[in-house]
Amino acid sequence: MMGFVVPLVHVWPEVVARAAGRPIYVRSCAVMDPILKALKLEGLCILPLSKHRSLKQNAKKLRKAGHRLDYVSVPGFDTPAEYDAEVFLEVRAKLFDQLAVEIAAERVLLEPMFKGDGPRVIIIDRLPPDPFYSSRDCESKGAGSERRSVENMSELADLARSRFTSVAVVTLEGRSLAYQMAMFSMADIIVAQHGAALANLLWARSGANVVEILSSRHIGHKFVPFFFSDLSAAMGLHHDVIHQPSDHGPVCVKDFAVLMDALAQSHDICPGHLIQHSGTVATGGGFIPQNRP
C-alpha cells in the first residue's frame, strides 16, 4: 500500500497528462491487482511482471524503432523517513471520494458487526497466506499467519469484549479496498500485529487509537518500531505498542488488560473521541516510553 498504491495515486494525474492518451503500463502485483483495478485510474494497464520488465529493458531499442515509450520510476513511502503527511491526506481524500459508493455499501454490511454502543474496536487477525506467496513468482516469500500470528488472539478478543460492548475480530486477506477503507474508518480502537494490515491506518478517522503488537526482535530495531507510530502521527492517530515475545507467541494478557482499561477510561471521559496517549510499549513489566534512538 505505502510502497505502491499511495505513490501511484499521487502521481497519476501527472502521468496521464504525460501519456497524452497512450496506455499506461503498470507491473502486476499479483494478489494486489484487484486493488489496483479498484482505483479506477484512467489509462491503467496491468502487465505481468515479466512483460513489464521486458519493456523496461528494451525501452531504448523500442524508442529507436519509433515507438513512443517513456519509463517512469516513482519512489514509494516504504520507510518512515520517506513519509509525507500531505501526500497521505491527498491520496486519502481522492480515494474516499472516488470509492464513496462502494465504501458506503461496505459500511452498511459491516454495521451489524458492532452490536453495542460506545467505542468500536476492531481486532485484526491473520489467515493463512494466498498460495502465491510460496510460488517462485513471489519476490517476498511468506505472508499472513505464516509470517506472524498471535497465539492467544481469542483470549485478547474476549478481554476486549469485557471492557467494550462493540468489538469485531476481522481478517483482511482477500478483502476489497473499499472494505478495508470502510472498516478502518469506522473504528475507534484498532488492534493488530505489526504488518501490512496497518497501512490501512491511512483510512482511520483522526483521533482513533492504534494498538500495535510488536515482537521482541523488532522492539529495538533502528526503524521498524516507527513504521506505524510515524504513520499514526501523520494521520492524527494515537499509537501504543504492546510486546509479543516472538512472531507467533502469546501477548501478555495482564499488559493487554492494562492498556484496554486505559482506553476504556479515555472513552468514558470523552465518548467517541480519544484522549492522547504519549506512546508506550508493554514489555511484561509494565509500560515504558517508546523513544527514538
Side-chain angles (χ1 to χ4, degrees):
M1 189 74 70
M2 307 290 291
F4 197 80
V5 171
V6 172
L8 192 67
V9 173
H10 174 56
V11 303
W12 202 255
E14 177 185 336
V15 173
V16 168
R18 183 172 174 177
R22 291 175 292 154
I24 303 169
Y25 299 115
V26 173
R27 56 165 287 183
S28 170
C29 286
V31 295
M32 285 281 288
D33 285 355
I35 287 180
L36 293 182
K37 293 174 183 176
L39 299 176
K40 303 177 184 177
L41 298 175
E42 178 187 347
L44 173 68
C45 295
I46 302 173
L47 287 183
L49 178 58
S50 59
K51 290 186 178 180
H52 191 271
R53 185 184 292 122
S54 177
L55 281 179
K56 177 183 178 181
Q57 293 171 342
N58 295 288
K60 289 183 179 179
K61 292 180 180 179
L62 290 168
R63 283 195 291 268
K64 286 181 179 179
H67 296 281
R68 187 182 172 191
L69 181 66
D70 301 316
Y71 186 84
V72 179
S73 180
V74 180
F77 302 97
D78 296 294
T79 67
E82 297 159 328
Y83 287 0
D84 187 323
E86 288 187 11
V87 171
F88 294 166
L89 292 171
E90 169 212 316
V91 169
R92 171 192 166 95
K94 282 183 179 179
L95 291 183
F96 268 111
D97 181 62
Q98 193 158 317
L99 300 177
V101 173
E102 293 92 334
I103 292 169
E106 292 288 0
R107 283 177 174 157
V108 170
L109 296 175
L110 289 169
E111 192 68 38
M113 297 179 66
F114 300 104
K115 299 179 180 179
D117 296 326
R120 293 177 168 181
V121 182
I122 62 169
I123 299 175
I124 311 298
D125 204 355
R126 289 169 172 256
L127 293 175
D130 187 282
F132 168 78
Y133 288 104
S134 58
S135 72
R136 67 179 183 177
D137 293 330
C138 182
E139 297 170 282
S140 179
K141 305 295 184 185
S145 58
E146 183 180 274
R147 179 172 288 178
R148 299 183 192 94
S149 62
V150 177
E151 183 180 317
N152 60 335
M153 183 65 89
S154 60
E155 188 175 8
L156 301 185
D158 288 342
L159 192 150
R161 292 188 184 100
S162 72
R163 269 68 173 178
F164 300 97
T165 59
S166 191
V167 178
V169 179
V170 300
T171 56
L172 302 181
E173 286 84 358
R175 294 294 190 177
S176 69
L177 179 59
Y179 175 96
Q180 295 178 65
M181 293 177 73
M183 175 62 74
F184 275 73
S185 65
M186 293 173 73
D188 297 300
I189 299 171
I190 299 158
V191 180
Q193 272 187 299
H194 175 87
L198 284 174
N200 285 293
L201 296 178
L202 289 163
W203 325 125
R205 69 166 186 82
S206 179
N209 219 95
V210 183
V211 177
E212 179 183 1
I213 300 171
L214 195 64
S215 72
S216 57
R217 72 186 181 92
H218 286 141
I219 291 290
H221 194 277
K222 184 177 181 180
F223 57 81
V224 168
F226 305 107
F227 275 116
F228 300 115
S229 63
D230 285 16
L231 179 58
S232 294
M235 304 309 295
L237 314 175
H238 309 305
H239 179 269
D240 290 285
V241 172
I242 193 163
H243 174 256
Q244 182 183 19
S246 68
D247 287 344
H248 297 281
V251 168
C252 177
V253 174
K254 181 179 179 181
D255 285 342
F256 190 70
V258 170
L259 186 50
M260 290 295 102
D261 287 340
L263 294 176
Q265 290 173 10
S266 296
H267 282 281
D268 284 342
I269 296 169
C270 190
H273 299 278
L274 294 170
I275 293 177
Q276 184 172 356
H277 292 269
S278 61
T280 55
V281 178
T283 62
F287 295 92
I288 61 173
Q290 184 183 358
N291 297 319
R292 289 184 174 278

